[in-house]
Amino acid sequence: MARNPQSTASIAGHPIHPMLIPFPIAFFVATFVCDLIFWRTGNPGWVTGSLWLLGAGLIMAALAALAGLTDVLGDVQIRNLRDAWLHAGGNVVVVLIELYNWYSRYAHGETAVMPTGLVLSLIVVLILLFTGWKGWEMVYRHRVGVADGSDEVR
């Protein structure tokens, strides 16, 4: 029986990447929600909130990407998975879009949100649905980071 692809970046056998990814996802989805509320209310507080959410999401995405890249570089089985490259490539696109989205809001304030920032936030949420699907494919279909039977803690 072949061994499961292993997570190189782990703590006590627990992969770090899946511990970190909920944060940028939540921050980027919350940015979209703030944009929707700003669109409906015009309250500039939501623009300020979205700027902070984007910044926090970018920082956490960088940490998650570092852990994910460590896993990819550490196991040839992961590098050979098409889903791993689709997942990673989609998330790189997300980060690039959100970097632009953050800078635009930082430089131009409220005027950057409607309609461009809102549309970019929607696009990011849609890409995250795809990359999340691919991430779960790696775990549930390809068993990336799943302990082998002999590795289980009793």
Side-chain angles (χ1 to χ4, degrees), residues 98-110:
E98 293 297 48
L99 270 170
Y100 173 78
N101 207 358
W102 179 87
Y103 176 76
S104 180
R105 291 163 193 248
Y106 180 78
H108 306 291
E110 294 176 32

Side-chain angles (χ1 to χ4, degrees), residues 38-95:
F38 173 69
W39 174 44
R40 300 308 300 159
T41 68
N43 183 332
W46 294 103
V47 176
T48 302
S50 70
L51 183 67
W52 283 96
L53 286 165
L54 281 169
L58 287 166
I59 291 167
M60 293 307 295
L63 294 173
L66 184 61
L69 181 61
T70 302
D71 290 345
V72 167
L73 295 176
D75 192 311
V76 69
Q77 286 180 280
I78 298 172
R79 285 194 304 275
N80 289 334
L81 294 175
R82 181 173 185 265
D83 286 336
W85 295 107
L86 291 171
H87 174 75
N91 286 325
V92 167
V93 171
V94 162
V95 168

